Amino acid sequence: MELNSKSVIGIVGSGAMGSGIAQVAAMAGHQVLLYDNNAPPLQKAKQNLVSSLAKLVEKQKITQQKSHEVTAHISFIENIEGLKPCHLIIEAIVENLDIKKQVFSQLEKITEGKCMLATNTSSLSVTSIAAACQNPAQVLGIHFFNPAPLMPLVEIIPGIATNNSITQTCKKLIESWGKLPVLCKDTPGFIVNRIARPFYGEAMKIYEEGIADIPTIDWVMKEIGGFKMGPFELTDLIGHDVNYTVTETVWKQFYFDARYRPNLCQKRLVEAGFYGRKSNKGFYDYTTTEIPQPKKDEALGKEIFTRIIAMLINEAADALYMQIGNREDIDLAMTKGVNYPKGLLKWADEIGIETIYQQLKTLHTDYGDDRYRPSMLLKRMAIEKKKFY
């Protein structure tokens, strides 16, 4: 089955992600059916779409006519049976495996197995979701990043039963939408959410150990690392309810591997309902205008940066070693999916693979914690004095 601009695209879930994907598909000229079983979120999605398109017109990114065309292309439906004419359906609902499986089983029956089914999950097993269907060959992961209309990266994740022609068809479709698709293996966190874990986790561990405070660690990663946001600012923006859940899911799915162990300081925020910007309180307090100042100590900053970047590079090297994605896709995923200043494998070559390996070995020896064990690939490359590029 081929997909083109005349193909009908269904979206399940009208939250920020679902409505964002609907906008992307409609902008590419598709007829889009956006389904939600609750009327208020559907109404809110409609209002948000109008507002989003108005901003694009105001910025002269699109014409008023294009705005009307996009609006006309999206139908908002409350009955799941209305998705029957779809050629591809993308699910973007709550990250709950049982609920997703129920929805996929239902979608397959409604579309009589004639439709490609995709999940936008960020951390659950695509293979497990596909197992709810009679024909799992038609199911894959198409993971957009938030906000979907702005973020260029899309991870394409075939389950172990996914037909390769379905994978390639969806990859071509996503390219035609002006996005950058990367292929990755169906493993916990895929490429981005797997590799990015230490950016948050190691920063929180440094804070928990009392090595530096929150504003200082954020300053280090922006000033020395060149990241657009520090780890604490970013988790406050993402929301701790979301970020902590992804960390915990990846950790559990990797059989409690120490490298993905969640942090208690973040768990306490979730328990308190301090989710970050959305609740006006997280690692920072957004009810006050007082801005906490960092301690701008260059030597301390270099120590913190080296530790976090070594952990990130270790994850990228391990993802390559475990064939989660190829070298180019791994670097592209981190620069385009989470706006890293450089691809981590290229960064490793710049810093020196031996330097990174020695840093990890020292941490492993000092802490006696398996979270710091160097990737086998990194170890071999350090010994053989090789580079990624």
Side-chain angles (χ1 to χ4, degrees):
M1 188 197 293
E2 284 301 310
L3 294 171
N4 54 45
S5 60
K6 289 187 171 60
S7 302
V8 180
I9 308 296
I11 310 290
V12 177
S14 66
M17 189 56 82
S19 55
I21 299 168
Q23 182 181 324
V24 172
M27 293 274 283
H30 294 272
Q31 194 61 43
V32 179
L33 303 176
L34 178 57
Y35 161 75
D36 202 300
N37 59 1
N38 284 318
L42 212 52
Q43 192 56 41
K44 191 182 175 189
K46 197 180 287 189
Q47 290 163 359
N48 288 346
L49 175 71
V50 170
S51 171
S52 175
L53 293 171
K55 282 176 190 167
L56 290 174
V57 171
E58 198 181 313
K59 291 176 184 172
Q60 298 185 326
K61 297 276 179 78
I62 61 169
T63 63
Q64 190 66 55
Q65 188 188 342
K66 179 69 175 175
S67 170
H68 291 318
E69 283 172 10
V70 172
T71 308
H73 275 136
I74 303 179
S75 302
F76 298 82
I77 61 173
E78 287 178 57
N79 186 348
I80 197 166
E81 296 284 340
L83 294 170
K84 191 171 183 175
C86 295
H87 299 96
L88 168 69
I89 297 174
I90 303 172
E91 163 274 316
I93 60 169
V94 64
E95 285 286 87
N96 179 301
L97 184 60
D98 292 334
I99 295 172
K100 285 186 191 286
K101 287 176 106 168
Q102 284 170 22
V103 168
F104 271 75
S105 176
Q106 197 177 1
L107 289 172
E108 187 182 40
K109 289 187 183 88
I110 289 164
T111 57
E112 297 169 354
K114 295 172 186 170
C115 176
M116 297 180 208
L117 301 176
T119 174
N120 185 61
T121 183
S122 57
S123 57
L124 297 173
S125 160
V126 173
T127 299
S128 188
I129 293 166
C133 296
Q134 294 294 313
N135 183 14
Q138 296 272 99
V139 183
L140 77 164
I142 301 181
H143 179 224
F144 287 78
F145 290 79
N146 203 13
L150 295 179
M151 297 300 282
L153 189 83
V154 179
E155 291 176 323
I156 307 285
I157 312 110
I160 62 168
T162 307
N163 186 309
N164 186 51
S165 68
I166 299 279
T167 305
Q168 295 305 323
T169 295
C170 289
K171 185 172 182 276
K172 275 184 204 163
L173 179 78
I174 297 302
E175 277 172 349
S176 76
W177 291 1
K179 298 294 182 186
L180 294 170
V182 293
L183 277 176
C184 51
K185 197 188 278 186
D186 183 18
T187 57
F190 313 130
I191 294 176
V192 174
N193 277 318
R194 173 198 179 118
I195 294 173
R197 292 319 344 129
F199 185 68
Y200 320 111
E202 200 56 25
M204 288 177 206
K205 193 166 189 295
I206 289 165
Y207 161 66
E208 286 175 336
E209 289 173 17
I211 292 168
D213 61 14
I214 287 165
T216 300
I217 299 166
D218 274 350
W219 168 78
V220 166
M221 295 314 287
K222 288 188 291 183
E223 192 68 26
I224 298 174
F227 289 85
K228 286 182 181 171
M229 293 180 85
F232 297 98
E233 289 174 322
L234 186 53
T235 49
D236 270 4
L237 180 67
I238 294 165
H240 297 286
D241 50 338
V242 175
N243 187 267
Y244 180 82
T245 301
V246 172
T247 300
E248 192 177 50
T249 303
V250 171
W251 175 59
K252 285 177 179 174
Q253 288 189 359
F254 271 117
Y255 306 104
F256 306 99
D257 189 325
R259 285 189 306 180
Y260 310 106
R261 189 191 302 127
N263 297 76
L264 270 174
C265 65
Q266 191 177 30
K267 188 171 194 284
R268 291 291 175 261
L269 290 178
V270 173
E271 289 168 346
F274 296 166
Y275 299 144
R277 285 187 175 272
K278 66 173 87 170
S279 64
N280 283 323
K281 213 166 198 179
F283 283 117
Y284 292 98
D285 185 351
Y286 299 95
T287 61
T288 176
T289 52
E290 275 184 56
I291 301 167
Q293 294 304 306
K295 182 185 175 186
K296 297 184 179 181
D297 180 327
E298 291 289 336
L300 175 66
K302 197 175 175 196
E303 183 190 318
I304 292 167
F305 168 71
T306 306
R307 183 165 154 179
I308 295 173
I309 202 70
M311 292 291 280
L312 284 166
I313 287 168
N314 198 39
E315 276 307 314
D318 213 48
L320 182 63
Y321 180 59
M322 300 306 290
Q323 301 174 64
I324 309 308
N326 64 34
R327 179 186 65 182
E328 289 77 14
D329 277 0
I330 287 169
D331 273 358
L332 182 69
M334 301 317 288
T335 54
K336 298 297 183 183
V338 271
N339 286 319
Y340 280 15
K342 297 173 191 175
L344 290 167
L345 300 175
K346 276 188 179 164
W347 216 339
D349 285 351
E350 278 180 32
I351 295 168
I353 290 169
E354 284 177 86
T355 303
I356 297 295
Y357 175 61
Q358 287 305 325
Q359 169 73 9
L360 291 162
K361 264 181 75 177
T362 302
L363 287 165
H364 199 206
T365 303
D366 289 352
Y367 284 93
D369 188 340
D370 217 27
R371 76 189 274 124
Y372 299 113
R373 71 183 187 278
S375 164
M376 181 54 74
L377 179 60
L378 212 57
K379 181 180 179 178
R380 284 177 186 165
M381 291 179 78
I383 292 166
E384 294 167 15
K385 296 183 170 24
K386 285 186 175 176
K387 287 188 169 189
F388 287 107
Y389 288 89

